[in-house]
Amino acid sequence: MGRSPCRNESNVKKGPWTAEEDEKLTDYISRHGRGTWRTLPKHAGLNRCGKSCRLRWENYLRPDIKRGKFTEEEDQLIINLHSVLGNKWAKIATNLPGRTDNEIKNYWNTNLRKKLLHMGIDPETHRPRTDLNHLMNLSQLLGMSNLGTSINPLANPIGLQADVTQLTKLQVLQNMLQLLNNTSLINMANPYLLRNQILNPPDTFLNGTNTLQVRDPMFRGPEYPNPHGNNEPDLSLSQTHSDYSQQNIFKSGLERENETDYQEVLSYAENINTSQQNQVENLLPALVASCPKTSTFNQMESNYNAAQVSSQSPVSTTFEAWEKFLIDDDETSGSYWKEILDLTSTSASPVSW
DNA sequence: AAACATTGCAACCGCCTTTAC
DNA sequence: CGTAAAGGCGGTTGCAATGTT
């Protein structure tokens, strides 16, 4: 295939660009247009290879480049697009005007990736992390949050602690279920598992609402409505990030002008395997997006149905289904959790798993 | 204040795809 | 149709800036 031009040009300069070089490049392109990158350096009086010039122009000098911090909306869009497209930075960049693929890639690796990891989401797969270290951290977090509640139940009048507790519970549960499924380990002695016989592979946990359904401000758009009509942030469970993001990604992302991606979405959606759909119908609701492969399938299905989802009663969201599932028998849930956590901690040695 | 660690990001490298001949 | 050149992309690196001990 084609050679890499820079390798055979031994005398070309490398490393950071000087202001003078920038000026030469900008000046040349503004007067003559881009032309052929290979011949551009010679004509512009630059001792650089064409590739280097292209990179400098595309990632830094181009006049339409947007500078400054990424907004919440951009964050959200990148996360959503990444769950659909994976590391296709160039494709993702086409949906964020003024942002370059390199910038988005760097931002993902330095910020968004860590954000997701902190939330217990695997940034590669967009699914809950299933490594045991993380699981144990969550267990600790859960323990701490319960302790805090018992010490001073009035310390948090707006219920943030309850949110953290609930979220952590959900995360622990989801992680454990996936662990159990991944290892085909079904402990028949555990009443919780007997009650919720889930023998399908983890992908089948997903029932279509597979975007991040976590009550974290990071995942909420500014236009997210507050049903209580006050100025406080809406921490209710009545709407999920899924509802918001599915519309958001559709409106501001794929649908806008990227016809290829949009068609891709539709073609995936049209190929939904109905038997698989039926199979997952009665299973547990999904909390987060899945790996790119299944995520693509599910998210595209979700996007395709976004209009329907948004028109449904807000009560019938996935997150609420989880909440109901966990809280229905609140009096006994404490013992359930104790059992589960005990089981987890005693089973956490590599030998057991 | 100095040494060390971490972070953020521009730039490079190598591979793949597209284009021209 | 085959091949080489050029463009484009994603992974990785190197280094300056910043934070921590």
Side-chain angles (χ1 to χ4, degrees), chain A residues 183-248:
Chain A
T183 54
S184 302
L185 178 76
I186 302 296
N187 187 341
M188 301 301 282
N190 186 313
Y192 167 78
L193 290 171
L194 276 175
R195 180 176 167 228
N196 299 281
Q197 287 282 339
I198 314 293
L199 298 170
N200 301 290
D203 286 350
T204 59
F205 282 149
L206 302 165
N207 67 356
T209 50
N210 68 333
T211 42
L212 298 162
Q213 300 184 12
V214 186
R215 285 171 296 156
D216 186 301
M218 170 189 160
F219 291 108
R220 317 202 72 170
E223 62 274 56
Y224 212 85
N226 178 347
H228 311 301
N230 54 36
N231 291 329
E232 291 177 5
D234 171 29
L235 296 173
S236 76
L237 285 164
S238 60
Q239 276 184 284
T240 67
H241 165 71
S242 178
D243 297 342
Y244 169 75
S245 68
Q246 283 164 5
Q247 294 165 41
N248 193 40

Side-chain angles (χ1 to χ4, degrees), chain A residues 127 200-208 210 268-284 290-299 301:
Chain A
R127 296 174 70 174
N200 301 290
D203 286 350
T204 59
F205 282 149
L206 302 165
N207 67 356
N210 68 333
Y268 268 97
E270 282 162 7
N271 287 323
I272 291 166
N273 180 328
T274 50
S275 67
Q276 188 174 358
Q277 264 190 306
N278 293 336
Q279 196 183 1
V280 302
E281 253 172 18
N282 295 321
L283 293 175
L284 291 171
S290 71
C291 64
K293 210 175 182 181
T294 49
S295 151
T296 303
F297 174 84
N298 285 299
Q299 176 125 19
E301 181 189 355

Side-chain angles (χ1 to χ4, degrees), chain A residues 45-239:
Chain A
L46 288 161
N47 187 27
R48 294 269 182 177
C49 74
K51 249 186 172 182
S52 183
C53 292
R54 178 190 156 269
L55 208 67
R56 184 64 180 171
W57 175 257
E58 293 293 335
N59 288 336
Y60 198 81
L61 297 175
R62 228 176 57 199
D64 59 328
I65 286 180
K66 188 174 166 185
R67 301 248 166 246
K69 282 189 72 176
F70 281 75
T71 65
E72 285 290 320
E73 287 73 26
E74 286 176 316
D75 282 6
Q76 214 163 37
L77 189 56
I78 293 169
I79 291 168
N80 283 330
L81 288 166
H82 187 270
S83 75
V84 178
L85 302 168
N87 294 358
K88 302 289 179 192
W89 307 116
K91 268 196 173 183
I92 292 173
T94 61
N95 291 283
L96 285 103
R99 301 292 189 186
T100 69
D101 54 353
N102 205 37
E103 191 182 12
I104 293 169
K105 178 173 61 182
N106 282 334
Y107 184 60
W108 174 268
N109 287 326
T110 56
N111 290 280
L112 295 181
R113 217 173 160 275
K114 287 173 193 167
K115 266 189 185 177
L116 291 181
L117 282 170
H118 274 118
M119 298 189 64
I121 311 295
D122 185 336
E124 308 303 321
T125 63
H126 292 259
R127 296 174 70 174
R129 293 167 67 190
T130 53
D131 56 289
L132 285 170
N133 285 342
H134 174 64
L135 192 55
M136 295 315 292
N137 287 343
L138 285 168
S139 299
Q140 282 172 5
L141 182 60
L142 178 57
M144 282 171 65
S145 95
N146 283 340
L147 184 67
T149 312
S150 60
I151 289 171
N152 185 4
L154 300 176
N156 187 353
I158 61 169
L160 278 173
Q161 184 149 17
D163 284 342
V164 172
T165 307
Q166 196 61 29
L167 176 59
T168 310
K169 283 179 178 179
L170 295 173
Q171 196 83 67
V172 171
L173 175 61
Q174 177 97 350
N175 279 321
M176 283 189 300
L177 288 174
Q178 290 202 347
L179 268 177
L180 292 169
N181 276 289
N182 286 339
T183 54
S184 302
L185 178 76
I186 302 296
N187 187 341
M188 301 301 282
N190 186 313
Y192 167 78
L193 290 171
L194 276 175
R195 180 176 167 228
N196 299 281
Q197 287 282 339
I198 314 293
L199 298 170
N200 301 290
D203 286 350
T204 59
F205 282 149
L206 302 165
N207 67 356
T209 50
N210 68 333
T211 42
L212 298 162
Q213 300 184 12
V214 186
R215 285 171 296 156
D216 186 301
M218 170 189 160
F219 291 108
R220 317 202 72 170
E223 62 274 56
Y224 212 85
N226 178 347
H228 311 301
N230 54 36
N231 291 329
E232 291 177 5
D234 171 29
L235 296 173
S236 76
L237 285 164
S238 60
Q239 276 184 284

Side-chain angles (χ1 to χ4, degrees), chain A residues 327-335:
Chain A
I327 296 177
D328 259 1
D329 52 353
D330 209 27
E331 286 179 24
T332 55
S333 65
S335 59

